[in-house]
Amino acid sequence: MGKEHRLALVPRGWTVALARIATGWVFFRYGWFDKLQDDGFVTGMADTLRKMAQTSAPAFYRSFLEQIAIPHSQAFALAVAWGEALLGISLLLGAFTNLASLLGILLMANLYLASGSWEALLYASLCLVFLRLSAGSRWGLDPLLAKLLPERMVYFPTR
């Protein structure tokens, strides 16, 4: 991927950078304050997943919830909470934004399939934009990381 593809060279790239930073704050707040600081989140995850499997999940995803996610609900709860918090930190700092955006898409796709939440689709779409435009290139640490590490670790191909 050539340097002309970087967001830093896109006119008015600051709008995507502001969206990245705002989205990062939302993810960090959801993960850290709403989930990791709430003692009931991890213990209540099995009931939440059971309710989603019965009410909102499509049939093909219901079996995943019932056979894998519910029996391992504590691990899933910690993965979701830490995933959102670390995704938020990555987006806030603009560090490893492409990788974080890809993982954010996966996280939000699973949330959408389990709950049917349109909010999850919105955040997945934002992560797709951040991935496509290498959003950490403007007001972020990705350009510095690309100098210190192999460039492909920071800006893996998005085409």
Side-chain angles (χ1 to χ4, degrees):
M1 171 167 60
K3 291 193 185 286
E4 68 277 357
H5 181 262
R6 302 290 190 285
L7 179 63
L9 300 177
V10 174
R12 292 183 224 95
W14 60 271
T15 55
V16 176
L18 285 175
R20 184 200 82 225
I21 292 167
T23 303
W25 174 249
V26 170
F27 273 115
F28 179 71
R29 195 190 53 137
Y30 279 164
W32 186 258
F33 295 110
D34 293 350
K35 292 182 175 74
L36 289 172
Q37 301 300 315
D38 179 11
D39 295 334
F41 176 74
V42 173
T43 57
M45 181 60 107
D47 291 333
T48 302
L49 291 173
R50 215 172 276 113
K51 183 178 176 182
M52 288 178 178
Q54 293 169 356
T55 59
S56 57
F60 74 90
Y61 197 72
R62 194 171 300 137
S63 62
F64 168 76
L65 291 175
E66 293 171 346
Q67 296 171 10
I68 298 172
I70 293 172
H72 303 98
S73 62
Q74 288 187 337
F76 273 83
L78 290 172
V80 166
W82 279 106
E84 288 181 1
L86 294 174
L87 172 61
I89 291 170
S90 176
L91 292 176
L92 280 169
L93 298 176
F96 298 105
T97 308
N98 285 8
L99 177 61
S101 297
L102 187 62
L103 295 175
I105 292 167
L106 180 66
L107 187 67
M108 291 297 103
N110 278 291
L111 177 60
Y112 174 73
L113 288 172
S115 68
S117 166
W118 288 97
E119 184 180 358
L121 285 182
L122 169 70
Y123 287 117
S125 299
L126 284 169
C127 285
L128 182 63
V129 169
F130 301 152
L131 173 66
R132 180 66 181 108
L133 296 177
S134 296
S137 294
R138 176 67 59 99
W139 296 353
L141 296 177
D142 279 348
L144 176 66
L145 291 170
K147 290 178 184 175
L148 298 173
L149 301 168
E151 188 177 12
R152 284 190 173 266
M153 286 181 66
V154 178
Y155 298 115
F156 54 88
T158 58
R159 287 186 189 210

